[in-house]
Amino acid sequence: MERKWNLLIGIVVGIVVVAASVYASGLTKLLLSPFRSSTEYKSSDAVVAPELAAGEWINSEPLKLKDLHGRVVLVEFWTFGCINCRNTLPFVKSWHDRYSDKGLTIIGVHSPEFDEERDVTNLRREVVSLGIHYPVITDNDYQTWNAYKVEAWPTTFLLDKQGRIRWMHVGEGKYDETDRLIQKLLAE
């Protein structure tokens, strides 16, 4: 009987340790994130977006978010080897084409998944090949990725004209919603 109690106590302690590890590692948020892939924030609840970390810029001189106040900014975390990122690309390019002269700035933050994606020569070639004309910054050390608490490719943030995060989306889809929110933020 005592052996059964010891076994039961061992199992309970093991479950508690595993649960605590999952919680402490942040996996809880990651495991639940597919159910909350998009979040819209009211202006009163929005927080100022973290500044972009240093990196190499493609298609632009270095940009600072604080210098873009007065413009809506779409920040997309992507990597050129990610098929999901490639699937979002036609929509991101379309928003750049339609709204850049109306006050939208798009910044692609390239956070590599594989070694060949870290090479800026490869990235420059892919940017040209993919027809990307908006600014792209390298994030090889994941400083910007970590500052934004990104967990997957692609992840998109919309910043209002005051530089506050008003919307976040993980993954593909929600293109009509994104377009609607871009228009809403441009009109504010």
Side-chain angles (χ1 to χ4, degrees), residues 173-187:
K174 303 287 185 173
Y175 304 119
D176 290 339
E177 182 179 349
T178 307
D179 194 274
R180 181 184 59 77
L181 287 166
I182 289 170
Q183 292 179 37
K184 175 183 171 184
L185 293 175
L186 287 172

Side-chain angles (χ1 to χ4, degrees), residues 31-106:
L31 294 173
L32 295 177
S33 64
F35 302 107
R36 292 188 46 190
S37 65
S38 295
T39 305
E40 184 175 354
Y41 303 97
K42 297 177 185 175
S43 60
S44 59
D45 297 331
V47 297
V48 174
E51 191 56 69
L52 304 170
E56 291 196 44
W57 285 88
I58 300 170
N59 295 336
S60 174
E61 294 298 317
L63 299 173
K64 296 283 186 195
L65 294 179
K66 65 180 180 177
D67 296 335
L68 295 173
H69 284 204
R71 294 186 63 84
V72 173
V73 179
L74 185 148
V75 178
E76 183 184 40
F77 288 84
W78 72 293
T79 187
F80 67 74
C82 166
I83 190 65
N84 304 97
C85 300
R86 287 178 180 253
N87 290 342
T88 65
L89 191 56
F91 298 94
V92 178
K93 290 174 14 179
S94 171
W95 296 322
H96 171 72
D97 293 343
R98 289 186 308 174
Y99 299 119
S100 63
D101 62 342
K102 295 177 179 150
L104 176 69
T105 297
I106 294 178

